[in-house]
Amino acid sequence: MNDSTTRQCRLAYLTSIPSPYRADMVRAWARHNPHLAISVFYTDPDDQGRGWDADPVGEGVTETRLPVIAAFQKYGKFNRKLAAMVRDHDVIMIGGFEQASYLTAALLAKLYRKPVILLFDGFSPARFGTEPAPILALKRLTVRLAQGLFANGTVGARYLREQLGVARDTPIHNQFLSHREAPIETARQRMASKDKAQIRHALGIPDDGRPVLMTCGYLTTRKRIDLIIDAIARRPHAQRPLLLVVGDGALREILQRQAAEAGVPAYFAGFRLGADLASFYLAADAFVLASNDDPWGLVVNEAMSAGLPVLVSDACGVALDLVKDDVNGFVFRTGDAASLADALTRLETMDCEAMADASRSLVAQWTPAHSAASLGKAVADAVSAMAS
């Protein structure tokens, strides 16, 4: 790169949409890497219906929405001004594999002789070996175009090596995909004078002395809330926790009816964000994520930061790094209600305070600051590889 010793390295990060958790990470990337001048480019004109309210990143980071030329059902958006983005920056970081603009940006970077970093959030362990050959071919092409790899956790590294053929001696830097700590701290301050029973009362959660098992996410088939209800229903009536469901979606009425018919006490709190969502973590005794396909599961990070034991299906990427059986929770078999019911039984015998401490300790490394340090190494690798 020209003048790399006298000016900041200009890093262009191409991603789909702004998001609150990613904004926190990008702020840290800029704050902890003063040698980088970071610009973020978004391929999508809106938030894809997520309902997120992401503040500007700040920290000197510029943000630009690229005009859309075309949209493809499986391959995302194709945008204008990609060539100018590549030309005007020293390093290009793309937020995924096969989307049209990501691949185009990587090809343009090759043309302009600019290093590329591939940022990869993760991949559901349940989907290893299931992708069609054309998709794998596109992903392998993208990997070959990248000089730096910035992948999330064990699942990200394993996928790159086992499915896409990245060599064992090629560095893969951990992205440390991070939750937002500020909403949890705000909720703690709000509820500082209340015990769990008082927090539940303040939030309108029924409280008859049962433990509260929380789950959170869009109420879609993939999240398998039905499996959680089934698992709870397998337990004796007196030992059934209250299921606290935070989130909304097309299956809400169906799930409410299933819980009522199965005799499972349940409270559906609807869609929540920020400190309002975090308050529900503080009201719960444990957290469950039963997805049958989840590249990571950032809600598990949040629950652990709030001090909850976690029960996570083995189809979630987060299970490989942040869930330790008999330490801070349990991993159960995807789609297996009996396996989840067994985990619930085992949880009853555990020291939940010790598990809460273990959750907080394990998630403490997954912070924007750690992500920033790792990104600095990925940039250095990419620049060095391009120069060699």
Side-chain angles (χ1 to χ4, degrees), residues 25-103:
M25 293 179 70
V26 177
R27 285 186 199 104
W29 294 350
R31 186 180 307 123
H32 293 277
N33 292 288
H35 63 290
L36 298 179
I38 301 176
S39 300
V40 185
F41 295 85
Y42 301 110
T43 62
D44 285 40
D46 52 37
D47 71 352
Q48 299 179 353
R50 296 295 186 96
W52 282 333
D53 183 17
D55 293 329
V57 172
E59 295 289 338
V61 174
T62 63
E63 298 176 85
T64 304
R65 287 192 187 267
L66 296 175
V68 176
I69 297 174
F72 305 96
Q73 185 174 4
K74 292 184 179 180
Y75 302 106
K77 305 296 188 297
F78 183 62
N79 301 89
R80 299 185 190 277
K81 302 186 178 180
L82 291 171
M85 179 194 75
V86 173
R87 182 193 64 220
D88 295 341
H89 291 82
D90 301 309
V91 179
I92 312 303
M93 183 162 69
I94 56 174
F97 293 101
E98 70 273 28
Q99 288 198 25
S101 282
Y102 297 164
L103 184 55

Side-chain angles (χ1 to χ4, degrees), residues 196-214:
K196 282 191 182 290
Q198 291 170 322
I199 294 173
R200 291 167 190 167
H201 177 76
L203 296 175
I205 301 170
D207 187 10
D208 61 359
R210 297 174 185 268
V212 173
L213 178 67
M214 177 180 168

Side-chain angles (χ1 to χ4, degrees), residues 257-278:
R257 184 164 58 251
Q258 179 192 353
E261 291 174 353
V264 171
Y267 179 72
F268 287 73
F271 181 69
R272 307 282 175 154
L273 281 175
D276 289 337
L277 167 59

Side-chain angles (χ1 to χ4, degrees), residues 368-382:
H370 280 88
S371 181
S374 195
L375 174 63
K377 295 174 185 176
V379 170
D381 268 4

Side-chain angles (χ1 to χ4, degrees), residues 273-296:
L273 281 175
D276 289 337
L277 167 59
S279 296
F280 284 90
Y281 290 120
L282 301 181
D285 295 295
F287 185 86
V288 58
L289 184 65
S291 304
N292 60 12
D293 177 0
D294 212 318
W296 185 250

Side-chain angles (χ1 to χ4, degrees), residues 41 83 107 127 187 226 288 338 341 353 379 386:
F41 295 85
L107 290 167
R127 293 181 58 199
D226 62 312
V288 58
E353 286 297 322
V379 170
M386 178 58 77

